[in-house]
Amino acid sequence: MVVKTQSKGHGLTGLHVGASNVRRYFPKDASVIELQLDHLQIQCGLEPNFWQDRPEIHDPRLNAWLESKRMKEKTNQSSILLAMIPSGKNSYRLQPVSSSPQLRTKAVTGPIALELIG
């Protein structure tokens, strides 16, 4: 799935997962997920309103990793697209889309689609 960074100001950057991704990829009984950020694995709590009106993930370690990616790519964009790839039960690998050799875009007539090459 493709997610994007979301800045709440004051150095609070998290992930906006999107309501359709939440319904499709996250079991309602999950209160914690694991994220693989390069060589770091962290656990992030999911707020109760994650499944209703705030499909977002926030964590100080995630924030630091996202900000380091923004600096590395030297981008001033308000949000960055990331691939959030399921890697086990309630576990996901996160990586920038632009530097991901495993993802490629496919031409479609509807919304943009990403295909995993594996």
Side-chain angles (χ1 to χ4, degrees):
M1 81 187 97
V2 177
V3 299
K4 66 180 178 177
T5 59
Q6 179 180 43
S7 178
K8 296 230 175 197
H10 300 56
L12 297 173
T13 302
L15 293 177
H16 180 78
V17 177
S20 62
N21 284 336
V22 168
R23 285 189 301 273
R24 185 172 182 184
Y25 295 106
F26 294 85
K28 277 202 169 210
D29 63 342
S31 60
V32 174
I33 62 165
E34 291 182 358
L35 291 178
Q36 182 75 34
L37 312 171
D38 296 328
H39 300 291
L40 176 67
Q41 187 167 353
I42 65 171
Q43 289 187 342
C44 298
L46 300 176
E47 298 292 325
N49 56 2
F50 176 76
W51 287 270
Q52 283 113 34
D53 59 346
R54 297 192 63 207
E56 304 164 3
I57 300 170
H58 295 279
D59 180 276
R61 298 159 299 176
L62 174 62
N63 176 66
W65 185 81
L66 292 170
E67 288 301 319
S68 74
K69 292 297 177 192
R70 183 186 313 269
M71 298 305 254
K72 182 179 177 184
E73 294 191 14
K74 296 179 179 142
T75 180
N76 291 328
Q77 295 176 334
S78 59
S79 65
I80 299 171
L81 294 178
L82 299 153
M84 192 168 176
I85 303 164
S87 61
K89 183 176 181 181
N90 300 331
S91 181
Y92 305 85
R93 185 168 30 102
L94 202 61
Q95 61 189 50
V97 170
S98 61
S99 63
S100 172
Q102 293 182 337
L103 294 175
R104 75 170 179 224
T105 56
K106 284 183 78 173
V108 294
T109 56
I112 295 176
L114 291 175
E115 176 181 344
L116 279 176
I117 313 249

